[in-house]
Amino acid sequence: MASCRAWNIRVLVAVVCGLLTGIILGLGIWRIVIRIQRGISATSSSTPTEFCRNGGTWENGRCVCTEEWKGLRCTIANFCEKSTYMGFTFARIPVGRYGPSLQTCGKGTPNAGNPMAVRLCSLSPYGEIELQNVTIGNCNENLETLEEQVKDVTAPLNNISSEVQILTSDANKLTAENISSATRVVGQIFNTSRNASPEAKKIAVVTVSQLLDASGDAFQEAAATANNDALTTLIEQMETYSLSLGNESVVEPNIAIQSANFSSKDAVGPLNVRFSVQKGASSSLLSGSTFIHTNVDGLNPDGQTELQVLLNMTKSNSKACGFVVYQNDKLFQSKTFTAKSNFSQKIISSKTDENEQDQSASVDMVFSPRYNQREFQLYSYACVYWNLSTRDWDTYGCQKHKGTDGFLRCHCNHTTNFAVLMTFKKDYQYPKSLDVFSNVGCALSITGLALTIVFQIVTRKVRKTSVTWVLVNLCISMLIFNLLFVFGIENSNKNKTSDGDIHDIDFKNNEVPQTDTINNPNPTCTAIAALLHYFLLVTFTWNALSAAQLYFLLIRTMKPLPRHFILFISLIGWGVPAIVVAITVGVIYSQNGKNPQWELDYRQETICWLAIPEPDGVTKSPLLWSFIVPVTIILISNVVIFITISIKVLWKNNQNLTSTKKVSSVRKIVSTLSVAVVFGITWILAYLMLVNDDSIRIIFSYIFCLFNTTQGVQIFILYTVRTKIFQTEASKVLMLLSSIGGKKSLSSVTQLRLRVRMYNFLRSLPTLHEHFRLLETSPSTEDITLSESDKAKQSI
């Protein structure tokens, strides 16, 4: 009878293990097939990743190339190859750019470290790429000495303009002091009272374009130290210069200037003037991409239009107008608006030759928003102008107009420097709701944990022992974590997503935004992330306390345990995680509290959990220091203790104890699993999910999900179902139910056989001795005669 019973148990265990293995492998294969199908459909419906070559990116339905390439797929060269001329060597130079020489001024010169010469790469009238002659600089001059020289009214402005252009050719080396000095020098060249030659002014435009390649931080520092005076003066002088070009244009990579002079025969001038900027292969401005049309009816943008301005001069007596386009807003250092993204914020200036008091022209504008539509959505925009008095953006006289062609439309009743300050919302890919696999596992765990807690508390008197304190606290923390995970892991912002359509924008609100990227704050999600963080740390802490307590009981044979032991470990189990979470949130808030989006430095937006660090910010990540590091330390210590207990206690046959000789291998396996569950050993599978192979990672993901979402069920089976009290009561209930349900259909003999089989099956399950508890300071009352230390060892 005993051998038959043992055989039945082995068959049952084998069947269960086989079913679980089959389910895991089936889910893994199914998941791989789904991923393959998604990959095929994505490939057929979207642009391949390698469609844009040579660093080009796919934006707004086309390839946006780097300056060195052009064409549909960025495969046509747009640069001059490395060259040597007059003893100077030049690296690859993009078309339209001046390349600095590799030779620099010596250490003993005022211009030490700066290039000795520059060379222009341009297009010939026939469209061929060619290199121009070398312009050699003076190593005895620097920006500071030139700033002093330009104050002299007799100074050679042509030479000074060329020297400044050479000194600013390498934008990566420009500091805030360099920018301030260069803007002052260029400002003097554009000053109408200095009567600089047209050639000197054109070279000064090149210098301004090169300055706009400098870092934004350098411009911010320059604006702060110079109090914006030099930048503001330069902006005003660029407007004035735009009226002096006749019908010509000056186009550099970061700035384009064009004028329109009207015939003196027209007494009142044209009615409307339209200025257009066309899209190029790269983000830089290109020669031939700007156009002016006079006497037009209105705006007429098309698919190639990046921005368009209509200057309404019906009531104006102007004879000339000018336009300036800035590739970015670095000259316009705002105190209210902060740009955090690298999306182009073009600035357009329009000016007429009327007196300041007689300005009567109005402006209509359209802008084509240019941003990464894969990751961001256009949230809103503001039509603004640069207020030279306050030196900041202002909305006075400007309003938004609703359009139907995908362009951002503005109208202002005056002329000056205009911009559209766009705000973007990151297009988060919120995950789908928990799948059936996770829901079923969490539901079973929640039920098992709740029953385990109730059983441990209710039956403590029947079992004549104190409640298992560590086990109950472990179950409570795990239960709360599972409830929060199921009902709170999803961000409620998931239901507030939009498609980023321009028609969803509030056109009545035209306020200057604070930043160009926003996120909807969700304090509830932040609170849930903090609670999940806390209760998962609590769970791991109680796992560690379980391991430590068993180590002292079974290895050190420490009985009874020290006084106030329960109070001491309770403070550790619930207090230490609270300190870790409080310090983490406090440090993040103290560093980023002024930022309305500080929450995203702590948690993710897609789910209410700790933020995943950027590749360059791993060492500062809260996920690393407040979760991964402490959990890793706990798991390593638990594994060491688990191996020690398994070798010295669970799988060791003590010849002096007759009882250990009768312990079967199945019971040893079950005892080992019992310890592994409360130690949290299965969480080691999370590290196996970090492999690069997607197929293997998917399999480990499902194995991890299976073992950890059902951890509550495992505790319920191993620490509740396997106890004698539960089996006895459960057998009575099952026999009662079977007898009630089978009265009409089964004979009395059949009912008796069913009861006997059910009773024998439940009694055949291997059980833990009732005298063992994870945290018990007194021996339990079992009908065995062993020493205290032997009792503890036999309790597994």
Side-chain angles (χ1 to χ4, degrees):
M1 185 66 179
S3 61
C4 181
R5 184 182 304 166
W7 183 83
N8 290 334
I9 294 175
R10 294 192 184 98
V11 171
L12 179 62
V13 171
V15 170
V16 171
C17 293
L19 288 175
L20 292 178
T21 304
I23 292 172
I24 294 171
L25 293 176
L27 289 173
I29 295 172
W30 169 76
R31 184 63 177 171
I32 293 172
V33 173
I34 293 297
R35 286 176 66 89
I36 293 175
Q37 291 178 349
R38 288 179 179 176
I40 294 174
S41 62
T43 302
S44 61
S45 62
S46 61
T47 303
T49 305
E50 298 298 329
F51 181 79
C52 302
R53 302 294 180 87
N54 299 309
T57 58
W58 183 261
E59 294 182 11
N60 300 3
R62 67 190 185 97
C63 285
V64 176
C65 309
T66 60
E67 282 189 310
E68 297 178 347
W69 299 92
K70 61 182 180 179
L72 179 63
R73 300 181 62 186
C74 307
T75 54
I76 301 175
N78 190 45
F79 57 86
C80 296
E81 291 285 0
K82 181 179 178 180
S83 62
T84 301
Y85 185 76
M86 296 176 61
F88 297 103
T89 303
F90 300 88
R92 177 186 291 182
I93 307 172
V95 172
R97 293 275 186 179
Y98 284 84
S101 65
L102 300 182
Q103 289 77 19
T104 59
C105 296
K107 295 182 179 180
T109 61
N111 195 20
N114 286 313
M116 299 178 64
V118 294
R119 195 177 191 185
L120 173 65
C121 176
S122 62
L123 288 175
S124 69
Y126 304 100
E128 297 178 353
I129 300 175
E130 59 183 12
L131 284 166
Q132 302 298 324
N133 292 331
V134 174
T135 303
I136 303 174
N138 185 355
C139 288
N140 293 318
E141 301 286 355
N142 57 28
L143 291 172
E144 287 74 16
T145 59
L146 293 175
E147 185 179 356
E148 293 298 324
Q149 292 180 22
V150 80
K151 295 177 182 179
D152 186 357
V153 293
T154 62
L157 296 183
N158 281 14
N159 293 340
I160 292 175
S161 184
S162 296
E163 289 294 338
V164 173
Q165 187 262 319
I166 295 173
L167 291 173
T168 58
S169 60
D170 192 351
N172 295 325
K173 295 182 179 180
L174 293 177
T175 64
E177 292 77 12
N178 297 149
I179 293 173
S180 298
S181 298
T183 52
R184 292 190 186 97
V185 174
V186 172
Q188 289 294 324
I189 295 173
F190 282 122
N191 192 333
T192 55
S193 65
R194 299 299 300 272
N195 295 320
S197 66
E199 183 64 26
K201 292 182 179 180
K202 288 184 179 180
I203 296 176
V205 174
V206 176
T207 300
V208 174
S209 177
Q210 293 176 165
L211 288 175
L212 292 176
D213 282 324
S215 68
D217 293 338
F219 265 97
Q220 290 179 5
E221 186 179 348
T225 54
N227 198 22
N228 266 354
D229 288 339
L231 299 180
T232 302
T233 302
L234 179 60
I235 292 170
E236 292 178 302
Q237 290 169 344
M238 296 295 289
E239 288 183 2
T240 303
Y241 174 65
S242 69
L243 298 172
S244 65
L245 292 176
N247 291 314
E248 296 182 359
S249 64
V250 177
V251 180
E252 295 297 329
N254 290 320
I255 188 171
I257 306 173
Q258 191 161 2
S259 299
N261 281 2
F262 314 129
S263 173
S264 59
K265 298 179 181 180
D266 297 330
V268 296
L271 297 179
N272 295 312
V273 178
R274 186 174 65 208
F275 175 73
S276 304
V277 177
Q278 300 294 101
K279 297 177 181 178
S282 66
S283 58
S284 300
L285 296 168
L286 303 175
S287 178
S289 62
T290 61
F291 304 93
I292 285 183
H293 299 88
T294 58
N295 294 316
V296 295
D297 296 330
L299 295 169
N300 186 29
D302 56 26
Q304 295 300 316
T305 302
E306 186 163 4
L307 66 88
Q308 199 170 86
V309 178
L310 180 69
L311 192 59
N312 188 340
M313 304 171 64
T314 305
K315 301 179 181 180
S316 173
N317 295 319
S318 301
K319 295 299 180 181
C321 65
F323 300 90
V324 183
V325 179
Y326 300 93
Q327 178 64 14
N328 54 58
D329 59 353
K330 292 178 181 177
L331 286 178
F332 304 83
Q333 291 298 312
S334 172
K335 296 180 288 292
T336 58
F337 176 77
T338 304
K340 297 182 178 179
S341 67
N342 57 357
F343 304 137
S344 176
Q345 296 276 7
K346 281 186 169 60
I347 315 297
I348 176 70
S349 166
S350 64
K351 187 176 177 64
T352 64
D353 61 353
E354 285 185 304
N355 294 329
E356 192 72 24
Q357 295 79 11
D358 299 332
Q359 288 284 339
S360 58
S362 61
V363 177
D364 288 290
M365 296 165 285
V366 292
F367 291 80
S368 176
R370 188 171 185 175
Y371 59 98
N372 188 347
Q373 295 183 349
R374 291 182 178 180
E375 297 184 7
F376 290 88
Q377 293 179 345
L378 179 63
Y379 178 77
S380 183
Y381 73 96
C383 299
V384 299
Y385 76 97
W386 186 254
N387 191 325
L388 294 173
S389 301
T390 61
R391 297 168 183 171
D392 211 337
W393 296 115
D394 198 348
T395 59
Y396 176 77
C398 297
Q399 55 187 349
K400 294 187 285 189
H401 282 182
K402 191 172 184 179
T404 58
D405 48 11
F407 287 90
L408 308 181
R409 294 179 174 267
C410 297
H411 172 80
C412 292
N413 59 14
H414 52 80
T415 61
T416 183
N417 295 278
F418 302 100
V420 168
L421 301 183
M422 294 174 284
T423 55
F424 302 95
K425 180 181 179 182
K426 193 165 185 180
D427 188 14
Y428 291 101
Q429 301 300 318
Y430 292 96
K432 295 181 179 180
S433 301
L434 295 175
D435 54 21
V436 176
F437 193 58
S438 299
N439 276 323
V440 171
C442 290
L444 292 175
S445 285
I446 291 171
T447 304
L449 290 169
L451 292 175
T452 301
I453 295 171
V454 172
F455 175 80
Q456 291 291 327
I457 296 175
V458 171
T459 63
R460 67 185 186 277
K461 293 182 179 179
V462 179
R463 292 182 286 113
K464 298 179 181 181
T465 182
S466 61
V467 67
T468 308
W469 188 251
V470 174
L471 181 61
V472 169
N473 281 275
L474 175 62
C475 292
I476 291 174
S477 62
M478 199 179 299
L479 174 63
I480 298 175
F481 174 80
N482 277 276
L483 289 171
L484 289 171
F485 180 81
V486 172
F487 296 106
I489 192 68
E490 294 182 0
N491 193 340
S492 58
N493 286 343
K494 176 181 179 180
N495 302 320
K496 300 178 182 179
T497 56
S498 62
D499 56 2
D501 197 327
I502 294 178
H503 298 90
D504 297 332
I505 295 174
D506 182 8
F507 288 91
K508 296 180 180 180
N509 181 16
N510 191 37
E511 297 179 356
V512 178
Q514 295 182 352
T515 180
D516 63 342
T517 55
I518 67 163
N519 283 284
N520 290 331
N522 191 345
T524 303
C525 184
T526 305
I528 292 175
L531 290 174
L532 285 170
H533 184 196
Y534 171 68
F535 281 104
L536 192 54
L537 283 180
V538 169
T539 300
F540 278 106
T541 305
W542 282 108
N543 288 144
L545 293 172
S546 299
Q549 188 268 338
L550 278 182
Y551 176 80
F552 285 118
L553 283 179
L554 302 180
I555 306 301
R556 301 292 295 272
T557 63
M558 184 184 293
K559 263 196 171 185
L561 293 170
R563 293 184 59 188
H564 308 299
F565 189 71
I566 292 178
L567 177 61
F568 178 71
I569 65 171
S570 298
L571 292 175
I572 294 177
W574 296 99
V576 172
I579 295 174
V580 172
V581 174
I583 291 176
T584 303
V585 176
V587 169
I588 292 175
Y589 183 78
S590 64
Q591 294 177 347
N592 309 285
K594 295 181 180 180
N595 183 1
Q597 303 172 23
W598 72 270
E599 298 176 8
L600 296 184
D601 292 321
Y602 175 68
R603 65 165 175 85
Q604 303 176 43
E605 174 63 20
T606 53
I607 58 173
C608 301
W609 179 239
L610 299 179
I612 297 176
E614 298 292 338
D616 57 347
V618 175
T619 56
K620 299 180 181 179
S621 168
L623 180 65
L624 175 66
W625 297 108
S626 66
F627 183 75
I628 295 179
V629 169
V631 167
T632 301
I633 294 173
I634 290 174
L635 286 177
I636 291 174
S637 61
N638 283 9
V639 168
V640 172
I641 296 175
F642 172 72
I643 294 174
T644 303
I645 292 177
S646 299
I647 294 175
K648 293 187 176 182
V649 178
L650 302 179
W651 292 87
K652 180 181 180 181
N653 291 326
N654 192 337
Q655 300 298 328
N656 297 324
L657 299 176
T658 58
S659 59
T660 53
K661 299 177 182 179
K662 301 177 182 179
V663 176
S664 64
S665 298
V666 175
R667 178 169 295 183
K668 291 181 180 180
I669 294 174
V670 174
S671 300
T672 305
L673 292 176
S674 302
V675 175
V677 168
V678 295
F679 282 17
I681 302 299
T682 54
W683 280 86
I684 296 177
L685 296 170
Y687 297 92
L688 299 178
M689 295 164 57
L690 301 177
V691 295
N692 293 326
D693 193 304
D694 288 341
S695 302
I696 298 176
R697 184 168 60 248
I698 291 170
I699 295 175
F700 282 126
S701 297
Y702 276 101
I703 296 174
F704 173 81
C705 186
L706 173 67
F707 280 102
N708 289 284
T709 58
T710 61
Q711 194 172 3
V713 180
Q714 300 169 39
I715 291 176
F716 174 68
I717 294 174
L718 296 171
Y719 290 91
T720 300
V721 174
R722 294 179 63 243
T723 59
K724 292 181 180 179
I725 296 176
F726 184 87
Q727 291 178 13
T728 302
E729 297 299 325
S731 62
K732 293 179 181 178
V733 173
L734 289 174
M735 286 190 292
L736 178 62
L737 292 176
S738 63
S739 63
I740 295 175
K743 282 183 179 180
K744 296 182 179 180
S745 58
L746 298 176
S747 63
S748 58
V749 177
T750 305
Q751 295 176 27
L752 179 60
R753 289 177 179 174
L754 180 60
R755 294 177 190 176
V756 172
R757 289 178 180 177
M758 183 66 70
Y759 181 78
N760 289 335
F761 172 73
L762 291 172
R763 294 293 291 175
S764 66
L765 293 175
T767 62
L768 285 173
H769 293 297
E770 284 299 312
H771 74 280
F772 175 76
R773 291 295 179 267
L774 289 178
L775 182 58
E776 181 183 349
T777 56
S778 59
S780 60
T781 56
E782 290 289 334
D783 297 331
I784 55 176
T785 56
L786 295 172
S787 66
E788 289 185 351
S789 62
D790 293 333
K791 289 181 181 179
K793 294 181 181 180
Q794 279 296 308
S795 61
I796 302 299

